[in-house]
Amino acid sequence: MTDLLPFVADLPLVDHHCHGVVTRDVPRADFEAMLTEADAPSPLGTSLFDSLIGLAVRARCAPVLDLPKHASAEAYLQRRAELGAAEVARRFLRGTGTTDFLLDGGFLPDALTTTPEFAGLAGARAHDVVRLEQVAEAVIGGSTAAGFAAAFAGELEKRAATAVGLKSIAAYRAGLELAGERPSPSEVEAAAGRWLAAGGTRLADEVLHRHLVFTGLDLGLPVQFHVGYGDADVDLHRCDPLLLTGLLRATRERGVPILLLHNYPFHRNAAYLAQVFEHVFVDAGLITHNAGFRRRPCWPSFLEIAPFGKVLFSTDAFGLAELYHLGTALFRQGLSDFLRAALDADALSEVDAVRMCALVGHENAQRIYRLEHV
Amino acid sequence: MTDLLPFVADLPLVDHHCHGVVTRDVPRADFEAMLTEADAPSPLGTSLFDSLIGLAVRARCAPVLDLPKHASAEAYLQRRAELGAAEVARRFLRGTGTTDFLLDGGFLPDALTTTPEFAGLAGARAHDVVRLEQVAEAVIGGSTAAGFAAAFAGELEKRAATAVGLKSIAAYRAGLELAGERPSPSEVEAAAGRWLAAGGTRLADEVLHRHLVFTGLDLGLPVQFHVGYGDADVDLHRCDPLLLTGLLRATRERGVPILLLHNYPFHRNAAYLAQVFEHVFVDAGLITHNAGFRRRPCWPSFLEIAPFGKVLFSTDAFGLAELYHLGTALFRQGLSDFLRAALDADALSEVDAVRMCALVGHENAQRIYRLEHV
Amino acid sequence: MTDLLPFVADLPLVDHHCHGVVTRDVPRADFEAMLTEADAPSPLGTSLFDSLIGLAVRARCAPVLDLPKHASAEAYLQRRAELGAAEVARRFLRGTGTTDFLLDGGFLPDALTTTPEFAGLAGARAHDVVRLEQVAEAVIGGSTAAGFAAAFAGELEKRAATAVGLKSIAAYRAGLELAGERPSPSEVEAAAGRWLAAGGTRLADEVLHRHLVFTGLDLGLPVQFHVGYGDADVDLHRCDPLLLTGLLRATRERGVPILLLHNYPFHRNAAYLAQVFEHVFVDAGLITHNAGFRRRPCWPSFLEIAPFGKVLFSTDAFGLAELYHLGTALFRQGLSDFLRAALDADALSEVDAVRMCALVGHENAQRIYRLEHV
């Protein structure tokens, strides 16, 4: 990382979408399972360390644990166990240069740090993002079809009181083809009735996901959407952000930000939405660390059409402390390479380069999530 | 631009798809609104000058107006106002090295130069491309359902007499999923009846868009299609050029060229169609200037599979004289960089490089639009 | 090719998907028709030699036939005729460094070498891949609706006895949206009845394509799918590999490899499937030679998320001996460039680079197709 532009190396970051870290030690199989979106190494393939992210762990993370670059996977995991999960987390998180982490605590919360624990490990501020579906799934059991909307709104308002944003995982459940209008109360009641009749467990209903989003927007809090790349539960062809066009058109007058997360491999489609809809913002989390040293495609593709004021930084790191480190370091590397090439071509001035970095690195997130008011 | 290959710097260009320029002076908000496909700067974002195209205006356009590179947006707009819209237009248009501009006059014609005015400002030839939907919308009011087909054909033939091509904006209205056969007269009559019953204003009917295209092809004039990227009115997921496959299959025996415009972010899909359908041609207008110094992705991606004989140059510039300049200068830069890398690798000879430039720069357009006969 | 990393230049290759070569001499029109996926040069375009692959033939193939680099198309074809198809085939095939060719003999078999002829020309091992639809089309004529499933299974088992894999061309016929469950015997019988009633010639029925795949998987042999880019018969928007998500989810427990071929321009979608489904593998055949010196996009895009253990090499060469040479040489070039950049950045060690090459070049294919047991 000695070749970073100084103002990129020192750029304070707001990681506007990530998750907690695991606090227990992880054996190799679990480590590989958390490294990518695969559930586990394939019996027909080879180790998941044989991947760009695996190589990146060995190249960029090993030195943080006092090992030589390119240490073997075995040596790496042994040293990791030796140091213990807490020390590993501290080293990686504190080296990121991140001032604020926005944590989605809605997935496997029992296995991960709480928000205060995370802040302690990282030596930084940590904020909550509330997963809409988790709230709905918490209230449906004690509710009726007719009472669901009020019960959800009440519980969401309570949980959101100390949060900086909300998140929809409609992409994982019903896909992103959400209709371009708020569902009526009777539609919501009917859908809640169907859900209750089906057992009221895992929410997967287009009407209800949509209702959750509109209810969230009522609170004026930014709403994040999982978009694109995820694990094998995703039907990726139903996760193209363009499927949200109708809903974005219907919500653009509200002045509430909508954030399209990850977006891979639909990042150009997402960038289009960020250009033409005033309330849409994008990031390139998740792919940044997965793609390892193949780090260049996402940032420049976004910037082809998305203005700098509409692009945010995130890692989408989950579980493994290495992923915060890699997501951050590879983001800095990509941003630096991109700007260095532009500066070399005299395509922008250094003053502008510094300003663009501040926007993407933290200013856009501070403005959108009103972090100065927290 | 000192690093351009000489035969690229001097390449005469035919801009086979663009629009007129605004003749009035434009305040900052209007300038930003015309800079990208966003309607206006976002109250949640930052200035649209904070974008690759904004940086490109300050880097590449400022010197044309006697300012230093990277002049501020304020200084730039002040100098622009000082010179006046006509002088600004003359400077930018005359510096493009374009011999022929093909103008689609169908969008906001009252705010823009006419074709002769444009030719005068540019000191070049300017030709008309007739927008099919505009003709249909002009005749439907005085027509009946049964009389629409004949009225449209008559008016189109009249307007096309002095035009070099036609254009469909089905993408903006009904999407590109047009069926693979000519609609029957009774289908056209029924659709015209529905349109009249709905008020006969803005055309948005799959049957009628398709009918317009077939009627246009009857005249033997090349038909352009808006494809992909556009403003917030577009449902971009309905603008993938692959949706035209059936229609392209149904029209390939006619020997009339069909031109897929812009194509971003579907340029690889468009290039596939240009390879396998003999009458299909492609360009990368619009994104070329939007992407600013991120100029490389489009040309090389096209050329992965589209032969050089099927790729044309356009800017799709609209309104701001800067966009003709940027679209042209960034095209030359991208073409030069692409060919220089290939020449350095001895992947083609300079003789071939010169010939390929001539094809893409002007020969393909001259052949397709029969410009030597105009 | 002097700039290849030594361990890439010497890497033994398994070409896990290609076809036979034509044994007759080919006049120019036929040569052009076989060069790309276009049926023929377009009367509206220019020669198909005016393309990246045409330039690659003149740059990289001419010297193999004792001509200077960049020899004209005329000189090239004259020399080719002079040497004769057999000598041309020997020169190109023997220079590839390929130890094993897996031949799909299902398309235009009468015009091409047989598998033993191919092995003789290439001086290498050649193995059969059986096209599922060809077997079905061979048995349907002598079968009944009720008897089709058994007749197909019997004939497939017989033909597969000496094969190393199977192949589905559902993409070309019904598209890739195959349902996520095995069709029932009665569904198969009904579909076979419909097919017989329609004449029993060209198979194009979602139920039957799906039935063929499941019957193939029963044999435990790897099943290849044509995905993406092909000739004008393809409806490319129905060939996105993501449409196979349901079928992949339904077959992941079987432990039988599924190989997504070509994948252009959907290679990122395919790479996603290879990451999250344990039995899915990918390659970038066909585009590698089509894209000529524009050789970099495919490999790195795959590796963004597909682990090295899930990526295979193929050419998808068909007919022209040049295509084996180009597919192989351009693959080596792209792999070498990719790894050299990574080695220069110290992003991986040379030991690892060598190992990754072995996986992609031959080990994955040897493991998947069990070539050591043949």
Side-chain angles (χ1 to χ4, degrees):
Chain A
M1 294 186 42
T2 53
D3 63 331
L4 294 182
L5 291 167
F7 56 87
V8 175
D10 298 338
L11 178 68
L13 294 174
V14 174
D15 186 346
H16 91 108
H17 182 77
C18 56
H19 305 263
V21 287
V22 290
T23 48
R24 60 181 171 84
D25 292 325
V26 285
R28 175 158 182 164
D30 292 9
F31 189 92
E32 291 203 34
M34 280 190 277
L35 194 58
T36 73
E37 295 298 310
D39 299 339
S42 164
L44 298 168
T46 59
S47 163
L48 287 168
F49 272 99
D50 290 341
S51 60
L52 292 198
I53 187 173
L55 293 168
V57 166
R58 292 170 50 212
R60 286 181 175 265
C61 297
V64 179
L65 305 191
D66 314 317
L67 295 172
K69 280 190 78 161
H70 316 311
S72 71
E74 293 71 25
Y76 183 83
L77 293 170
Q78 187 182 330
R79 173 66 180 158
R80 197 183 199 281
E82 209 171 280
L83 289 169
E87 171 63 12
V88 166
R90 268 190 296 272
R91 290 195 184 189
F92 283 124
L93 294 177
R94 295 187 178 210
T96 56
T98 305
T99 63
D100 295 78
F101 293 88
L102 275 60
L103 301 181
D104 165 15
F107 186 56
L108 301 180
D110 296 341
L112 303 180
T113 47
T114 63
T115 302
E117 284 168 354
F118 189 94
L121 284 170
R125 301 203 303 175
H127 313 274
D128 283 315
V129 170
V130 174
R131 199 181 274 216
L132 295 165
E133 286 78 5
Q134 195 187 31
V135 177
E137 290 169 356
V139 302
I140 186 73
S143 180
T144 62
F148 170 71
F152 172 72
E155 179 68 15
L156 182 64
E157 191 169 358
K158 204 171 73 185
R159 295 201 195 186
T162 56
V164 298
L166 308 172
K167 181 182 174 190
S168 165
I169 55 160
Y172 262 93
R173 304 293 181 82
L176 291 177
E177 195 159 12
L178 303 182
E181 53 183 8
R182 185 171 201 140
S184 70
S186 63
E187 288 174 306
V188 173
E189 180 175 335
R194 287 194 302 271
W195 186 19
L196 279 164
T201 53
R202 191 174 187 266
L203 173 59
D205 179 288
E206 188 273 334
V207 171
L208 293 179
H209 288 292
R210 188 155 41 102
H211 171 68
L212 269 49
V213 168
F214 275 93
T215 308
L217 292 170
D218 289 343
L219 296 178
L221 283 178
V223 175
Q224 305 176 339
F225 276 89
H226 174 98
V227 176
Y229 178 43
D231 66 31
D233 272 354
V234 156
D235 281 342
L236 191 53
H237 54 292
R238 299 162 71 206
C239 296
D240 184 333
L242 295 179
L243 298 174
L244 284 173
T245 303
L247 185 127
L248 296 176
R249 210 172 269 143
T251 55
R252 63 191 296 198
E253 306 297 337
R254 290 169 160 259
V256 181
I258 287 182
L259 298 109
L260 307 177
L261 304 175
H262 328 323
N263 295 304
Y264 185 86
F266 306 111
H267 36 285
R268 282 182 162 134
N269 298 359
Y272 160 74
L273 297 169
Q275 181 180 93
V276 302
F277 290 113
E278 53 270 56
H279 61 326
V280 173
F281 296 77
V282 290
D283 78 38
L286 190 50
I287 189 59
T288 306
H289 56 264
N290 267 275
F293 63 80
R294 170 71 177 170
R295 63 198 172 237
R296 271 190 273 189
C298 291
W299 280 101
S301 292
F302 266 139
L303 294 175
E304 284 168 3
I305 51 175
F308 287 91
K310 295 299 217 66
V311 178
L312 278 73
F313 165 70
S314 85
T315 60
D316 193 33
F318 176 92
L320 296 181
E322 283 83 352
L323 304 183
Y324 306 84
H325 176 70
L326 288 177
T328 308
L330 292 164
F331 169 77
R332 290 189 198 272
Q333 185 78 58
L335 186 60
S336 179
D337 291 350
F338 179 72
L339 289 172
R340 190 188 296 278
L343 289 167
D344 288 349
D346 197 18
L348 84 172
S349 70
E350 188 167 306
V351 170
D352 284 317
V354 169
R355 202 163 54 82
M356 300 306 160
C357 284
L359 285 174
V360 173
H362 55 268
E363 285 184 14
N364 291 334
Q366 288 168 341
R367 187 177 72 249
I368 296 314
Y369 294 100
R370 293 176 240 166
L371 295 184
E372 73 283 13
H373 301 304
V374 176
Chain B
M1 293 184 45
T2 53
D3 62 333
L4 293 183
L5 291 167
F7 56 87
V8 175
D10 298 337
L11 179 68
L13 294 175
V14 174
D15 187 345
H16 91 107
H17 181 77
C18 56
H19 305 263
V21 287
V22 291
T23 48
R24 61 183 169 84
D25 292 324
V26 286
R28 176 156 182 166
D30 292 9
F31 190 91
E32 291 203 34
M34 279 190 278
L35 194 59
T36 72
E37 295 298 310
D39 298 339
S42 164
L44 297 169
T46 60
S47 163
L48 286 168
F49 272 100
D50 290 340
S51 61
L52 292 198
I53 187 170
L55 293 169
V57 166
R58 292 170 49 213
R60 286 181 175 265
C61 297
V64 179
L65 304 192
D66 314 316
L67 296 171
K69 282 191 77 163
H70 316 310
S72 73
E74 293 70 26
Y76 184 83
L77 293 169
Q78 187 182 330
R79 174 65 181 158
R80 197 184 198 281
E82 209 172 278
L83 288 169
E87 171 63 12
V88 166
R90 267 190 297 273
R91 290 196 185 189
F92 284 123
L93 293 177
R94 293 185 181 213
T96 57
T98 304
T99 63
D100 295 79
F101 293 88
L102 276 59
L103 300 181
D104 164 14
F107 186 56
L108 302 179
D110 296 341
L112 303 180
T113 47
T114 63
T115 302
E117 284 168 355
F118 189 96
L121 285 171
R125 301 204 301 174
H127 313 275
D128 283 315
V129 170
V130 174
R131 200 181 273 216
L132 295 166
E133 285 78 5
Q134 196 187 30
V135 178
E137 289 168 356
V139 302
I140 187 70
S143 180
T144 61
F148 169 71
F152 172 71
E155 179 67 15
L156 182 65
E157 191 170 357
K158 203 171 73 186
R159 296 202 194 184
T162 55
V164 298
L166 308 172
K167 180 182 175 191
S168 165
I169 55 159
Y172 262 92
R173 304 293 182 82
L176 290 178
E177 195 159 12
L178 304 182
E181 53 182 12
R182 187 173 199 137
S184 70
S186 63
E187 287 175 305
V188 173
E189 180 174 336
R194 287 194 301 273
W195 187 20
L196 279 164
T201 53
R202 191 174 188 264
L203 173 59
D205 179 289
E206 188 274 335
V207 171
L208 292 179
H209 288 292
R210 187 154 42 100
H211 170 69
L212 270 48
V213 169
F214 276 93
T215 308
L217 292 171
D218 289 344
L219 296 178
L221 283 178
V223 176
Q224 305 175 341
F225 277 89
H226 174 97
V227 176
Y229 179 42
D231 66 31
D233 272 353
V234 156
D235 282 341
L236 191 53
H237 54 293
R238 299 161 72 206
C239 296
D240 184 332
L242 295 180
L243 297 174
L244 284 173
T245 303
L247 186 126
L248 296 176
R249 210 173 269 142
T251 56
R252 64 192 296 198
E253 305 297 337
R254 289 168 161 260
V256 181
I258 287 182
L259 298 110
L260 307 179
L261 304 175
H262 328 321
N263 295 305
Y264 186 85
F266 306 112
H267 36 285
R268 282 181 163 133
N269 297 359
Y272 160 74
L273 297 169
Q275 181 182 93
V276 302
F277 289 113
E278 53 271 57
H279 62 326
V280 173
F281 296 77
V282 290
D283 78 37
L286 189 51
I287 188 60
T288 306
H289 57 264
N290 268 274
F293 63 80
R294 170 70 177 169
R295 63 197 173 238
R296 271 190 273 189
C298 290
W299 280 102
S301 292
F302 266 140
L303 294 176
E304 283 168 4
I305 54 173
F308 287 90
K310 297 299 218 65
V311 178
L312 277 73
F313 165 70
S314 86
T315 59
D316 193 32
F318 176 92
L320 296 181
E322 283 82 352
L323 304 183
Y324 307 84
H325 175 71
L326 288 178
T328 307
L330 292 165
F331 169 76
R332 289 189 200 273
Q333 186 77 60
L335 187 60
S336 179
D337 291 350
F338 179 72
L339 289 172
R340 191 188 296 277
L343 289 167
D344 287 350
D346 197 17
L348 85 172
S349 70
E350 188 167 305
V351 170
D352 284 317
V354 170
R355 202 163 53 81
M356 300 306 159
C357 285
L359 286 174
V360 173
H362 55 268
E363 285 185 14
N364 291 335
Q366 287 169 341
R367 187 177 72 248
I368 296 313
Y369 293 100
R370 293 176 240 166
L371 296 183
E372 73 283 14
H373 300 304
V374 176
Chain C
M1 293 185 46
T2 53
D3 62 332
L4 294 183
L5 290 168
F7 56 87
V8 174
D10 298 337
L11 179 67
L13 294 174
V14 173
D15 187 346
H16 92 106
H17 182 77
C18 57
H19 304 262
V21 287
V22 290
T23 48
R24 61 183 170 85
D25 292 326
V26 285
R28 176 157 182 165
D30 292 9
F31 189 91
E32 290 203 35
M34 279 189 278
L35 195 58
T36 73
E37 296 297 311
D39 298 340
S42 164
L44 298 169
T46 59
S47 162
L48 287 168
F49 272 99
D50 290 340
S51 60
L52 292 198
I53 186 171
L55 293 168
V57 165
R58 292 170 49 213
R60 288 182 174 263
C61 297
V64 179
L65 305 191
D66 314 315
L67 296 171
K69 281 189 80 162
H70 316 309
S72 72
E74 294 69 26
Y76 183 83
L77 292 169
Q78 188 182 331
R79 174 65 180 156
R80 196 184 199 280
E82 208 171 281
L83 289 170
E87 172 62 12
V88 166
R90 268 189 296 272
R91 289 195 186 190
F92 284 123
L93 294 177
R94 294 184 181 215
T96 55
T98 304
T99 63
D100 295 78
F101 292 88
L102 275 60
L103 300 181
D104 164 13
F107 186 56
L108 301 179
D110 296 342
L112 303 180
T113 47
T114 63
T115 302
E117 283 168 355
F118 190 95
L121 284 170
R125 301 203 301 175
H127 312 275
D128 284 314
V129 169
V130 174
R131 200 181 271 216
L132 295 165
E133 285 79 5
Q134 195 187 31
V135 178
E137 290 168 357
V139 304
I140 187 71
S143 181
T144 61
F148 170 71
F152 172 72
E155 180 67 15
L156 182 64
E157 191 169 357
K158 204 171 73 185
R159 296 202 194 184
T162 56
V164 298
L166 308 173
K167 181 182 174 192
S168 165
I169 55 159
Y172 262 92
R173 304 291 181 82
L176 290 178
E177 196 159 12
L178 304 183
E181 53 183 9
R182 187 173 200 139
S184 70
S186 64
E187 288 175 304
V188 173
E189 181 175 334
R194 289 194 301 270
W195 187 20
L196 279 164
T201 54
R202 191 173 186 266
L203 173 59
D205 180 287
E206 189 272 335
V207 171
L208 292 179
H209 288 291
R210 187 155 42 102
H211 170 69
L212 269 48
V213 168
F214 275 93
T215 308
L217 292 172
D218 289 343
L219 295 178
L221 283 177
V223 176
Q224 304 176 339
F225 277 88
H226 174 97
V227 176
Y229 179 43
D231 66 31
D233 272 354
V234 157
D235 282 342
L236 191 54
H237 54 294
R238 300 161 72 206
C239 296
D240 184 332
L242 295 180
L243 297 173
L244 284 174
T245 303
L247 185 125
L248 296 176
R249 212 172 267 143
T251 56
R252 63 192 295 198
E253 305 297 337
R254 290 171 160 257
V256 181
I258 287 182
L259 298 110
L260 307 179
L261 303 176
H262 329 322
N263 295 305
Y264 186 86
F266 306 112
H267 35 286
R268 282 181 162 134
N269 297 0
Y272 160 74
L273 297 169
Q275 181 182 93
V276 302
F277 289 113
E278 54 270 58
H279 62 324
V280 173
F281 296 78
V282 290
D283 79 39
L286 190 50
I287 189 58
T288 306
H289 57 264
N290 268 275
F293 64 79
R294 169 72 176 167
R295 62 196 174 240
R296 272 190 272 188
C298 290
W299 280 102
S301 293
F302 265 141
L303 294 175
E304 283 168 3
I305 52 173
F308 287 91
K310 296 299 218 64
V311 178
L312 277 73
F313 165 70
S314 85
T315 60
D316 194 32
F318 177 93
L320 296 181
E322 283 83 353
L323 304 182
Y324 306 85
H325 176 70
L326 288 177
T328 307
L330 292 164
F331 169 77
R332 289 187 198 274
Q333 186 78 60
L335 186 60
S336 179
D337 291 351
F338 179 72
L339 289 172
R340 190 188 298 277
L343 289 167
D344 287 351
D346 197 17
L348 85 172
S349 70
E350 188 168 306
V351 170
D352 284 316
V354 170
R355 202 162 54 80
M356 300 306 159
C357 285
L359 285 175
V360 173
H362 57 267
E363 285 184 15
N364 291 335
Q366 288 168 341
R367 187 177 73 249
I368 295 314
Y369 294 101
R370 291 176 241 166
L371 295 184
E372 73 283 12
H373 300 306
V374 176

